[in-house]
Amino acid sequence: MDNVPAAGGGGVDLTNDRYDSDSNHDHEHVSLGRILSGKRSVVSEMDFFADEKPAAASKEILRVKKESVQNEDEQLHINLAALQADLVKTSVENQRLKGMLNQMNSNYHALQMHLFTYMQRQHTRRPGNDHTQNHEMISNGKARQFMDLGQAAAEKDEVVSIQSAFSEETRSKDFSIVESMEISNQKINNSNIDLEKSTDSDHRRRIVERELESPEQSTQLAGSKNNNNNNKVPRFNSSRDVEQASQTMAMIRKARVSVRARSEATMISDGCQWRKYGQKMAKGNPCPRAYYRCTMASGCPVRKQVQRCAQDKTILMTTYEGNHNHPLPVAAMGMASTTSAAASMLLSGSMVSTDHQHGLIINSNDFHDLAKTTHHHPLPNFSPSLASLSASAPFPTVTLDLTTHNNHNPNPNQFHHQQMPLSQFHLASSNSSILPSNILTLPHLFSNHQTQAAVASVSPDTISAATAAITTDPNFAAALVAAITNIMGNTHHQSHNNNNNNSTTRNSSDNKNS
DNA sequence: CGGTTTTGACCTGCGC
DNA sequence: GCGCAGGTCAAAACCG
């Protein structure tokens, strides 16, 4: 290219002046043929002066060059048009997402404020209440309010109206998080109004019971926005339901977040300080399981278990349990929101609907909505490649499997072949030889290409840090409330069905340390 | 010397 | 009631 004189340039004029009188077309063709056939490998300025018909040749070169440039222009225009079309589509999608985000955001915060007010009121009405975490909740503001749902749930007959907003009925296909929050808001509102009028706890209890016994009223409270939701409003019309709700809340306190990630290290650093307090040989796994306790603050209840996968020893399984009772360091908080959003989305009944034939379906588009709604900042470059929710384990366990795409795959092109359809994917019993059979698998929550790339590039350390932070995120408990009540119905059925396949089934071997 | 790790003993829950 | 397995305790060892 550099060797070709510019069209209309001085070089061309110069050759024309010099060789204008000669018009040997054969020679011209020979020269052109040589040029076009590439036999003259380099068309330099020196070549033009040496040739008998450089002017004609250069014109032809210019013509060819011009055609080439035109072709490139056409190609550019096509690409530009495609880009512009993509931009328009993206813009439209952004507008739609913004609208959804705003709506969810406002509802979410309204619910937070109502719940906070409600629980604060309960706290102040019980002078003997020594719930330290309640105190923290009040002192730290709304950031911690959801962390205490578990404690609050101990007062089951007072919190049940909140629970009911996250009923199992959220499994219904068209039951959105916004609707759930609206119902919660209105029910909490109603409870607050009644409670303000009441002066004694018995009266308050009667009010809650009245609410439980009159689901139709609650339905009306949920508003007439969507009549189809009338039959989706929670119904706690028996003491058994209340007891079940109480059990659900107890489970929440025992909820776990588990992460599978590839790592050579014995324990991946997650920004927190841990002290090992035990090690055991677990059944069916030659690798010992290590038990760690958070030592960043005295009395922090968070514990974690670290164990290598029996089938693939490059996979490190880290399970977190409990909520930190202290602020997390930046290192641990960096990716917290995204992972928390993943857990929230996974657990949120609003995102999961029921296909009675195939199990649960989750809409991948909703993840980003919820992530932005609950965390108010762009997603870090972290996403779990696979998440699952154990329904039959003793404790509800969210498992984020980051090994599927966060592997050492030498061929990045295979990446895309592994992807599930972008819009929806089924949650079905896992046949994986690594994942426990009792864990419901949500294949790939994050299906856009950007997040796929992020998954491919994220480091195990970061993953672990993010997961540890899940347990500290105030939204996590809230999401658990929704999710566990959501899956309770399924849980009971599936736990019965899966009892014989439970991965925690014990064998007769003695794994005790000796 | 204080904090952490190791490791055998102990506790608890569950199934038979 | 017994055995098994998971989980925790706590004394000793280890480490910086």
Side-chain angles (χ1 to χ4, degrees), chain A residues 97-108:
Chain A
L97 290 174
K98 272 184 188 174
M100 289 175 65
L101 174 62
N102 288 336
Q103 189 180 9
M104 292 173 71
N105 210 3
S106 59
N107 281 289
Y108 173 75

Side-chain angles (χ1 to χ4, degrees), chain A residues 129-158:
Chain A
N129 192 337
D130 59 351
H131 288 165
T132 56
Q133 291 197 9
N134 271 353
H135 178 73
E136 278 180 31
M137 173 191 78
I138 292 164
S139 60
N140 293 342
K142 68 175 184 179
R144 300 193 63 81
Q145 58 194 285
F146 278 118
M147 295 180 69
D148 301 299
L149 276 176
Q151 282 79 8
E155 308 163 54
K156 62 181 181 184
D157 51 354
E158 295 183 9

Side-chain angles (χ1 to χ4, degrees), chain A residues 48-314:
Chain A
F48 278 103
F49 286 105
D51 205 306
E52 289 292 318
K53 297 289 181 182
S58 66
K59 279 182 186 173
E60 190 59 26
I61 291 168
L62 289 173
R63 188 185 62 79
V64 172
K65 175 62 185 170
K66 193 175 178 181
E67 283 178 4
S68 171
V69 169
Q70 281 175 347
N71 286 339
E72 287 178 8
D73 281 348
E74 285 173 9
Q75 193 63 40
L76 267 172
H77 277 109
I78 292 169
N79 290 341
L80 263 173
L83 262 173
Q84 281 174 338
D86 281 350
L87 267 172
V88 169
K89 276 170 67 178
T90 308
S91 179
V92 169
E93 181 69 7
N94 277 343
Q95 290 302 316
R96 190 184 67 83
L97 290 174
K98 272 184 188 174
M100 289 175 65
L101 174 62
N102 288 336
Q103 189 180 9
M104 292 173 71
N105 210 3
S106 59
N107 281 289
Y108 173 75
H109 285 294
L111 175 59
Q112 275 193 325
M113 293 313 295
H114 280 302
L115 185 58
F116 177 56
T117 307
Y118 174 80
M119 294 179 77
Q120 192 171 11
R121 188 170 293 126
Q122 297 309 301
H123 176 81
T124 54
R125 285 182 183 181
R126 290 171 177 267
N129 192 337
D130 59 351
H131 288 165
T132 56
Q133 291 197 9
N134 271 353
H135 178 73
E136 278 180 31
M137 173 191 78
I138 292 164
S139 60
N140 293 342
K142 68 175 184 179
R144 300 193 63 81
Q145 58 194 285
F146 278 118
M147 295 180 69
D148 301 299
L149 276 176
Q151 282 79 8
E155 308 163 54
K156 62 181 181 184
D157 51 354
E158 295 183 9
V159 80
V160 77
S161 64
I162 299 170
Q163 298 170 352
S164 61
F166 300 100
S167 81
E168 61 178 358
E169 297 297 332
T170 55
R171 280 179 283 122
S172 301
K173 287 180 179 175
D174 55 351
F175 194 63
S176 72
I177 190 168
V178 174
E179 290 163 335
S180 173
M181 287 175 169
E182 284 174 356
I183 293 169
S184 301
N185 281 344
Q186 288 159 358
K187 289 169 76 66
I188 292 168
N189 260 341
N190 192 55
S191 296
N192 281 341
I193 292 168
D194 286 340
L195 288 168
E196 280 168 4
K197 294 174 185 171
S198 66
T199 54
D200 62 273
S201 59
D202 286 338
H203 188 191
R204 291 204 301 272
R205 186 175 295 107
R206 281 196 298 274
I207 290 166
V208 176
E209 286 168 354
R210 188 187 68 200
E211 186 174 331
L212 298 181
E213 290 163 2
S214 307
E216 288 75 19
Q217 278 187 325
S218 300
T219 305
Q220 290 172 354
L221 287 172
S224 56
K225 177 184 172 184
N226 185 356
N227 289 336
N228 292 333
N229 286 337
N230 285 356
N231 60 349
K232 295 166 187 170
V233 169
R235 283 171 168 79
F236 286 85
N237 49 10
S238 71
S239 59
R240 220 174 99 187
D241 292 333
V242 175
E243 189 180 341
Q244 180 177 310
S246 176
Q247 288 173 353
T248 299
M249 298 309 291
M251 286 172 66
I252 289 167
R253 277 171 282 182
K254 287 281 186 181
R256 293 176 175 179
V257 178
S258 185
V259 165
R260 296 155 43 81
R262 292 187 191 279
S263 175
E264 302 298 324
T266 54
M267 187 180 75
I268 41 191
S269 107
D270 50 22
C272 289
Q273 287 181 323
W274 303 94
R275 178 184 174 185
K276 190 176 182 179
Y277 67 90
Q279 179 169 308
K280 288 280 289 188
M281 294 302 297
K283 167 190 81 81
N285 192 335
C287 304
R289 176 183 300 162
Y291 299 89
Y292 296 88
R293 188 175 281 147
C294 178
T295 58
M296 290 199 75
S298 62
C300 179
V302 174
R303 294 173 184 198
K304 76 172 178 181
Q305 300 175 8
V306 179
Q307 186 175 33
R308 295 211 166 272
C309 183
Q311 284 83 357
D312 184 350
K313 292 188 173 62
T314 65

